[in-house]
Amino acid sequence: MNKIFPDSLKTSLIVCLTFVSTSLFSQKQLELVSHLDYVSLANDIWGYTAPDGTEYALVGLRSGVSIVSLADPANPAELQFIPGGQSAWRDLKTWGHFAYVTTDQPGTKEGLLVIDLGGLPGNVTWANWQPVLPGQTDSLFTCHNLWIDENGFCYLSGCDQNSGGVIMVDVFSQPGLPQFVSYNAPVYAHDCYALNNLLYTAEIYEGQFSVFDVTDKQNPVLLATQPTPFQFCHNVWATADGKTLFTTDERANAPTAAFDISDLGNIRLLDEFRPLATLNTSVIPHNAHVLGNHVVISNYTDGCVIVDATRPDNLIEVESYDTNTDFTDGFHGCWGAYPFFPSGLIAATDIENGLFIFNPTYPRASYLEGNVTDASSGTPIADAGVEIQSADANFAVSSFAGKYKTGQASEGTFDVLFRAKGYFDLTTQATLSEGEVTILDVEMVPLPQITVKSKVLDFETFLPLANVQVLIENDEFSYSDTTNSEGVFEVAGVLQGNYTLFAGIWGYLSDGGSPLEVKPDADVPTYLKQPGYSDGFDTDLGWQVDGTAGNGIWERGKPVGKRAANKQFAPEGAAPLNASSTKAYITGNEGVTIFDDQVDNGETRLTSPPMQLRSRYNRPMLSFDYWWYDAISNNPANDSLVVSISNGKTSVALAVFATDTANVQAWTPTDTFDLTDLLEITDNMRLSLTASDRAATPNVVEAGLDHFLITEGIPNERFSVKDDLVKMRIYPNPFDAEFTLDYKVEKNYTSLSVLVFNVLGQKIEEVKLSLPIGTVQFNLDVVPGMYFVSFRVDDELSEAVKVVQGF
């Protein structure tokens, strides 16, 4: 293996391993031959080739079935429309010169629609097969899907009988006249595929596929089951050799997955394909069909995508066409794609835009594979990102063993970028050829490890602060320590890079984090903490959690969010603020659906540590950002978020959020609460937030807290310093460059001035005043530190006020 070192040792910290720039992607686009629009919305599609070689598209519509001639593919012509009940789901397959169509809309009663195509392009007839099957008391009316194998056995899926399990029907013995054969297991199958007497069922609600031996149709034998990546298996399709099975999970951001099924006792997941140009944009895979060494996939909102599956453990997109650019997520766009015409054409349906005819070329992928190891130790590097620097969408991540597999449609010589946590970026070149595998092994140079040491002091007294929680963090790494009695923290092994340092201790203001560049011989500054109460929740300052709820209890972390039906139930990220804070308190932060880890059948309470507000504030004012969502089903609006303040003797509700009227789907700042007007201010004040789901109902309850802050709120006639000579207040304090002084003298005088002294008692500023009431602006050109402000009234000096110029 060649040892490859980066040209530059410049650190490049990556935000995440998915560093592909989608705006530069330019995948090879399928050639569009023609397009036929419909008034009705479309669903699935299949094809039929007549004995004379004419090809026809059989288009499922919500209002029926459209038969379209492709005799002139550039000018598709509808020859026949077969009306039916309104249904969002129609599925079509053929055997001989008959088409078989299922409908799955509740209330429809079409059973299995049988269409005789033998008279095309002229006469077309049809009939509905609606039998009362053995053991049933009612007719077969609806099925979700069907498949017809190479022997002429039809497998009906998701019917209103046999609990939705597959029903096997003979459509070959008497063409056009289906004959019931037997039932498979009564487990709902959303779709199925059969080949060589093996039946593969997509058991969507079980989150798996199953494999049955149906050689004896009267006695199917279950051979294997296997969970799919997003456990919502919608579609299955096997390769001709029976070694690989492709599945789609009908979930946002789910993959088309490839499984090794050569040994049903040891099924292995080989690869997961997602269109990289639209990665993490909630694209939903729908159907995957295998044609030779390629897989033709219809993705909602992302169109028809062709993947080279010659190497099923390295699935590479080689052609695509987005049939619908009006939607970026949800159940819109491309429903199905039929690639089995002898001409090679593909007929695809788009829900909103109708029928598309494509002329694919099915190119082979150019593969890049290899190993990523540590240049110092030779050990494998896992989770290294690999990107070929080209216009084709491509990306791979190395395995636990350091192996990576990627590729693209284009061949040529390209730069290849490798990125891994804790290592310098590495760029080298590789030459790729269509249909071939290029091996590129690399060694990456680790970043230096550095010890970060400094101290934390009180902003006013400059005395050391013990037990300060110190967090050094960026998007990749996190290190922590606690200051000792000398206020010192020391963190060893910090990898070179740019970080944010958080130093948190209750009773001191949260500063939102300070930038920290970690490099050899870097000078780490001393950190000063200003007394007061605030919390951005990046460090754990001792808030307490209790309550009766089993799920959705308060927890501190980076909110991951939950969204459904264009509604944001839980926050994605902390409340916005001009700071580096990324954490908040939220009620549960696990799972992917809106029902996961939300407050359920009880309450969860979050309580602050005690606050000495009487000693530290003249008139404390409270503010914070909150999140509240109570999604009401068909139930009473009986859930709430109650925010209260206690002084150790009494408790007062500051706010009560109830029902779904407060569901603004965003972090919301509160008004400022003047605590002095609400209850007696003590040195044992606590804030509490109680989120409650008061009944065992399916209501979804989510709450959050961020940017808690106590500020000073002195009204005009209330001064921080009062003596016999003068009343005054100074703000802000500490100050950066300027501060404001409000004053009022309540005695007669001859001369009046205000003075500023340094800690040595030396006068550095004096302003003569003519009015007994007023405001003075100070802009001191001084070094950071502590200063004192006093009034001279005739020959007397007032009590001095300490001010601090920040660092």
Side-chain angles (χ1 to χ4, degrees):
M1 178 168 62
N2 295 324
K3 181 176 288 189
I4 303 174
F5 291 93
D7 295 332
S8 170
L9 293 184
K10 180 179 179 181
T11 304
S12 178
L13 292 174
I14 55 178
V15 174
C16 64
L17 280 178
T18 306
F19 56 89
V20 184
S21 176
T22 59
S23 63
L24 300 178
F25 289 160
S26 179
Q27 295 297 107
K28 184 173 182 179
Q29 183 163 286
L30 279 165
E31 177 190 351
L32 176 63
V33 176
S34 59
H35 171 224
L36 180 64
D37 205 355
Y38 290 94
V39 174
S40 173
L41 297 178
N43 38 58
D44 212 352
I45 187 167
W46 202 247
Y48 168 68
T49 302
D52 64 2
T54 304
E55 296 172 345
Y56 298 88
L58 310 179
V59 182
L61 303 174
R62 292 198 177 183
S63 55
V65 176
S66 173
I67 300 175
V68 178
S69 172
L70 302 180
D72 179 4
N75 296 284
E78 183 181 65
L79 300 183
Q80 181 74 55
F81 175 71
I82 302 172
Q86 284 292 319
S87 177
W89 298 277
R90 274 188 169 82
D91 195 81
L92 317 91
K93 300 294 186 295
T94 58
W95 178 261
H97 59 81
F98 288 92
Y100 299 86
V101 184
T102 57
T103 304
D104 192 25
Q105 191 78 22
T108 59
K109 295 187 176 182
E110 296 182 17
L112 184 63
L113 174 64
V114 183
I115 307 172
D116 187 348
L117 306 172
L120 286 173
N123 186 45
V124 173
T125 60
W126 61 89
N128 295 95
W129 186 62
Q130 301 158 313
V132 177
L133 299 178
Q136 307 296 323
T137 59
D138 204 351
S139 296
L140 176 72
F141 288 138
T142 64
C143 292
H144 188 78
N145 220 313
L146 78 161
W147 173 249
I148 302 175
D149 71 10
E150 73 277 17
N151 300 310
F153 284 101
C154 177
Y155 302 84
L156 302 175
S157 301
C159 302
D160 56 3
Q161 297 180 10
N162 193 33
S163 300
V166 169
I167 300 172
M168 289 177 268
V169 177
D170 174 354
V171 297
F172 64 91
S173 295
Q174 301 181 56
L177 296 173
Q179 307 294 314
F180 171 79
V181 175
S182 63
Y183 297 113
N184 197 52
V187 178
Y188 182 88
H190 197 75
D191 198 355
C192 67
Y193 179 83
L195 183 67
N196 297 327
N197 285 320
L198 290 178
L199 172 64
Y200 308 90
T201 57
E203 297 172 359
I204 193 167
Y205 300 123
E206 304 298 321
Q208 64 186 23
F209 68 82
S210 291
V211 185
F212 294 87
D213 183 342
V214 291
T215 303
D216 182 353
K217 300 292 188 292
Q218 303 302 322
N219 295 288
V221 178
L222 176 64
L223 301 178
T225 62
Q226 177 70 33
T228 50
F230 273 46
Q231 298 185 16
F232 203 68
C233 186
H234 170 273
N235 152 255
V236 289
W237 205 284
T239 54
D241 61 8
K243 294 182 179 180
T244 308
L245 186 76
F246 296 92
T247 67
T248 56
D249 284 327
E250 198 178 17
R251 295 283 199 198
N253 300 316
T256 297
F259 289 89
D260 179 352
I261 56 170
S262 58
D263 179 0
L264 292 177
N266 182 32
I267 296 175
R268 297 183 299 113
L269 177 63
L270 297 174
D271 198 9
E272 298 183 11
F273 168 79
R274 297 172 177 84
L276 290 177
T278 52
L279 192 67
N280 297 325
T281 60
S282 297
V283 167
I284 302 171
H286 195 216
N287 290 310
H289 297 158
V290 178
L291 179 66
N293 290 325
H294 290 81
V295 181
V296 180
I297 306 168
S298 51
N299 289 319
Y300 292 122
T301 71
D302 205 51
C304 180
V305 179
I306 298 179
V307 169
D308 185 350
T310 306
R311 299 172 66 81
D313 58 351
N314 191 8
L315 303 175
I316 305 298
E317 178 179 339
V318 290
E319 288 182 292
S320 65
Y321 190 99
D322 190 354
T323 59
N324 194 322
T325 58
D326 293 332
F327 300 93
T328 57
D329 61 5
F331 299 96
H332 304 279
C334 192
W335 182 290
Y338 176 82
F340 304 115
F341 286 121
S343 66
L345 295 174
I346 292 176
T349 45
D350 181 283
I351 297 171
E352 290 83 11
N353 295 327
L355 173 66
F356 289 78
I357 305 300
F358 300 116
N359 184 25
T361 59
Y362 296 108
R364 288 292 315 280
S366 300
Y367 299 96
L368 180 68
E369 301 180 2
N371 297 277
V372 186
T373 55
D374 186 298
S376 299
S377 65
T379 57
I381 300 176
D383 297 326
V386 185
E387 182 189 2
I388 304 166
Q389 304 288 281
S390 75
D392 288 2
N394 68 89
F395 183 71
V397 177
S398 62
S399 69
F400 180 77
K403 297 182 179 296
Y404 72 91
K405 297 179 180 182
T406 186
Q408 60 182 30
S410 301
E411 58 181 359
T413 300
F414 303 92
D415 286 341
V416 183
L417 173 63
F418 292 82
R419 284 181 171 175
K421 292 182 179 181
Y423 292 84
F424 289 103
D425 285 1
L426 185 156
T427 300
T428 187
Q429 282 194 335
T431 299
L432 308 181
S433 299
E434 182 175 343
E436 297 183 8
V437 179
T438 298
I439 301 298
L440 178 62
D441 295 334
V442 298
E443 294 182 343
M444 301 187 71
V445 177
L447 294 169
Q449 295 187 7
I450 298 163
T451 297
V452 177
K453 182 177 181 180
S454 188
K455 62 175 57 178
V456 183
L457 306 178
D458 184 288
F459 200 72
E460 296 182 355
T461 65
F462 297 101
L463 295 175
L465 292 177
N467 299 316
V468 177
Q469 306 298 310
V470 176
L471 176 67
I472 300 172
E473 186 175 62
N474 60 21
D475 289 324
E476 297 174 333
F477 305 105
S478 180
Y479 310 88
S480 61
D481 194 21
T482 303
T483 60
N484 60 22
S485 59
E486 300 299 320
V488 174
F489 65 88
E490 184 172 359
V491 184
V494 180
L495 292 172
Q496 177 175 309
N498 294 313
Y499 295 82
T500 300
L501 184 144
F502 301 93
I505 183 171
W506 190 248
Y508 287 81
L509 297 181
S510 172
D511 56 11
S514 303
L516 176 66
E517 183 180 7
V518 176
K519 59 183 181 180
D521 303 321
D523 182 23
V524 182
T526 297
Y527 292 88
L528 302 178
K529 298 298 293 181
Q530 179 184 349
Y533 292 98
S534 71
D535 202 342
F537 304 115
D538 285 283
T539 55
D540 183 359
L541 302 188
W543 291 67
Q544 297 177 351
V545 175
D546 61 29
T548 60
N551 297 313
I553 63 174
W554 287 102
E555 62 178 284
R556 186 181 64 87
K558 296 181 180 180
V560 298
K562 295 169 192 169
R563 173 182 286 272
N566 295 320
K567 293 183 179 180
Q568 189 72 45
F569 288 80
E572 293 177 355
L577 189 70
N578 292 327
S580 301
S581 177
T582 60
K583 299 184 179 69
Y585 261 103
I586 54 271
T587 52
N589 204 30
E590 302 295 329
V592 294
T593 75
I594 62 172
F595 300 104
D596 295 334
D597 206 13
Q598 52 95 19
V599 184
D600 189 24
N601 198 21
E603 66 179 31
T604 179
R605 180 169 52 250
L606 176 67
T607 304
S608 74
M611 297 176 283
Q612 297 177 335
L613 299 189
R614 182 180 180 186
S615 299
R616 297 194 176 189
Y617 293 84
N618 187 42
R619 195 174 189 88
M621 312 290 285
L622 167 66
S623 63
F624 54 88
D625 290 339
Y626 72 92
W627 182 282
W628 169 246
Y629 205 105
D630 181 16
I632 305 301
S633 184
N634 296 319
N635 306 291
N638 55 5
D639 305 317
S640 64
L641 172 65
V642 178
V643 184
S644 59
I645 189 76
S646 168
N647 62 8
K649 307 171 189 176
T650 59
S651 181
V652 174
L654 301 177
V656 178
F657 306 103
T659 78
D660 61 345
T661 58
N663 293 342
V664 296
Q665 303 181 58
W667 284 104
T668 304
T670 63
D671 294 329
T672 300
F673 298 99
D674 187 341
L675 300 183
T676 305
D677 291 342
L678 299 175
L679 75 174
E680 177 188 356
I681 304 301
T682 70
D683 282 341
N684 189 28
M685 309 286 288
R686 290 176 182 260
L687 179 73
S688 292
L689 292 87
T690 303
S692 302
D693 178 41
R694 300 183 185 278
T697 62
N699 296 359
V700 176
V701 177
E702 297 282 6
L705 170 69
D706 205 359
H707 302 322
F708 160 81
L709 176 63
I710 301 289
T711 57
E712 184 64 86
I714 307 169
N716 288 337
E717 288 301 315
R718 195 175 181 94
F719 288 87
S720 56
V721 175
K722 303 176 184 179
D723 61 20
D724 293 337
L725 293 178
V726 68
K727 297 177 181 178
M728 71 174 114
R729 64 178 178 185
I730 296 173
Y731 55 93
N733 188 14
F735 65 95
D736 291 328
E738 299 180 351
F739 67 84
T740 300
L741 167 68
D742 293 339
Y743 72 92
K744 182 178 182 180
V745 180
E746 296 182 331
K747 62 171 289 183
N748 295 324
Y749 61 87
T750 301
S751 62
L752 178 67
S753 61
V754 59
L755 304 93
V756 181
F757 302 91
N758 62 22
V759 292
L760 300 178
Q762 299 167 325
K763 182 176 71 174
I764 62 171
E765 186 83 22
E766 180 173 4
V767 178
K768 295 188 179 297
L769 305 171
S770 59
L771 298 175
I773 301 175
T775 298
V776 182
Q777 293 284 133
F778 282 93
N779 189 340
L780 300 179
D781 184 14
V782 295
V783 298
M786 196 179 332
Y787 298 88
F788 298 91
V789 177
S790 181
F791 278 81
R792 178 181 287 128
V793 183
D794 293 333
D795 294 327
E796 297 181 79
L797 285 176
S798 71
E799 177 182 340
V801 174
K802 178 172 60 178
V803 294
V804 178
Q805 161 77 316
F807 285 78

